Amino acid sequence: MEKPKFKTVQEVIAAGEGLPERYLHTPTGDDESQPLNGLVPEMDIPAIDLGLLLSSSENGREELSKLHSALSTWGVVQVMNHGITEAFLDKIYELTKQFFALPTEEKQKCAREIGSVQGYGNDMILSDDQVLDWIDRLYITTYPEDQRNLKFWPEIPIEFRETLHEYTMKQQLVIENFFKAMARSLGLEENSFLEMYGENATMDTRFNMYPPCPRPDKVLGVKPHADGSAFTLLLPDKDVEGLQFLKDGKWYKAPIVPDAILINVGDQIEIMSNGIYKSPVHRVVTNREKERISVATFCIPGGDKEIKPADGLVSEARPRLYKTVKKYVELYFDYYQQGRRPIEAALI
Ligand code: OGA
Ligand code: NI
């Protein structure tokens, strides 16, 4: 298979030829004078105790209402008490850093091939006039196990494969519990969303590396987008900020909460919840001095499943907002390429 010939950001920096034009955002209209890395306020999202969410106690009910309030306004929560130890999360951060610090030839062993999303490489280039994101990534389908393609799984660092396997299994439990909690917080039967998610659901994990950038005022780590997943589990860098969410036309930065998993709603939960839970637009800004890493896992409903608003959330007072979609992620890339929000295609 042919490998893409574009340089990764790390290779661009190593070449020492300055910052290629292709990464620069040219200001349009109103934000002419606004640098991309201007100061923004911090978002006010709650830390949610996953254990409590599943309890039927008074405190559990309170936690569910906190979840409801955060997901219907921001579409984002910080999840605590998720059952994954701090030491284990640290190991994932450490292995991610070690992977990106390897020589290019070693990383290239897992290189993405043309026409595939999986593997190590730069931002996917979908069109000639696309402004490129200042990001290198390693993208791997981790679940179900029979869909794994080990050629994209690094052999070095030595513990990478086994740790990613273990992380996948641990996340599975978090995902199942989070689906149940979301359904309960909307007054639905606890398996309503899990049934739509299906037995053939997949998990994709994306290891992101944002090298220091000479022009954080004009370059983005990730352009504004909403995720095409059901929802996304994110381990943001523990020291370096960068992730921002859009609410009512303004950007807010995500706080750094040690040991929490940040979960954001994706388009498919927005559809399943009939628009009550919001799939937020977010972006990553770059940093002049420091590199930033993050690890995102996308939970993607099975391709055999029809995704539509849950019956219990459609009424005369709240008419159905979205069509039934299937294989949403495929539709997603078509729209993304045109710079449109894919969820528009699902609106009735
Ligand atoms: C993504 C994403 C945020 C981050 O990978 O979809 O939004 O902090 N990542 O890297
Ligand atoms: Ni995202």
Side-chain angles (χ1 to χ4, degrees), residues 188-215:
L188 299 170
E189 195 276 314
E190 111 174 338
N191 288 321
S192 312
F193 290 152
L194 271 175
E195 278 159 16
M196 270 193 264
Y197 186 58
E199 302 279 314
N200 296 318
T202 56
M203 285 161 72
D204 286 349
T205 295
R206 194 168 109 165
F207 299 85
N208 299 310
M209 146 72 140
Y210 306 91
C213 177
R215 291 301 301 270

Side-chain angles (χ1 to χ4, degrees), residues 52-64:
L52 260 186
L53 278 180
L54 302 167
S55 109
S56 45
S57 67
E58 180 64 31
N59 288 346
R61 278 193 294 277
E62 252 171 52
E63 210 66 6
L64 281 176

Side-chain angles (χ1 to χ4, degrees), residues 267-274 307-309 322 325 343 346:
D267 289 353
Q268 301 200 56
I269 278 291
E270 179 166 324
I271 295 171
M272 291 184 210
S273 71
N274 199 23
I307 303 300
K308 59 177 183 19
Y322 303 93
V325 297
I343 201 158

Side-chain angles (χ1 to χ4, degrees), residues 68-87:
H68 187 285
S69 147
L71 295 186
S72 52
T73 51
W74 291 101
V76 190
V77 281
Q78 301 278 1
V79 174
M80 314 295 294
N81 192 17
H82 43 62
I84 306 181
T85 63
E86 182 179 357

Side-chain angles (χ1 to χ4, degrees), residues 236-243 256 286-287 290-293:
D237 197 286
K238 288 179 114 173
D239 302 307
V240 184
E241 291 174 341
L243 177 61
I256 292 181
T286 51
N287 188 295
K290 297 178 192 152
E291 72 175 43
R292 176 176 184 271
I293 58 160

Side-chain angles (χ1 to χ4, degrees), residues 206 222-223 225-228 232 234 243 245 264 280 282-284 296 298 332:
R206 194 168 109 165
V222 180
K223 278 184 280 301
H225 68 285
D227 293 348
T232 304
L234 184 77
L243 177 61
F245 287 87
N264 70 267
H282 51 287
R283 69 178 187 182
V284 176
F298 304 100
Y332 183 91

Side-chain angles (χ1 to χ4, degrees), residues 152-222:
F152 299 119
W153 292 56
E155 283 184 277
I156 306 179
I158 215 88
E159 288 176 288
F160 194 98
R161 286 184 173 189
E162 120 194 9
T163 307
L164 181 54
H165 170 72
E166 214 180 314
Y167 184 44
T168 303
M169 296 304 145
K170 290 178 196 286
Q171 285 183 108
Q172 267 277 289
L173 284 178
V174 176
I175 291 167
E176 195 178 315
N177 288 333
F178 197 73
F179 268 118
K180 287 183 181 169
M182 278 193 297
R184 289 181 52 194
S185 72
L186 288 161
L188 299 170
E189 195 276 314
E190 111 174 338
N191 288 321
S192 312
F193 290 152
L194 271 175
E195 278 159 16
M196 270 193 264
Y197 186 58
E199 302 279 314
N200 296 318
T202 56
M203 285 161 72
D204 286 349
T205 295
R206 194 168 109 165
F207 299 85
N208 299 310
M209 146 72 140
Y210 306 91
C213 177
R215 291 301 301 270
D217 58 328
K218 293 219 174 295
V219 177
L220 283 174
V222 180

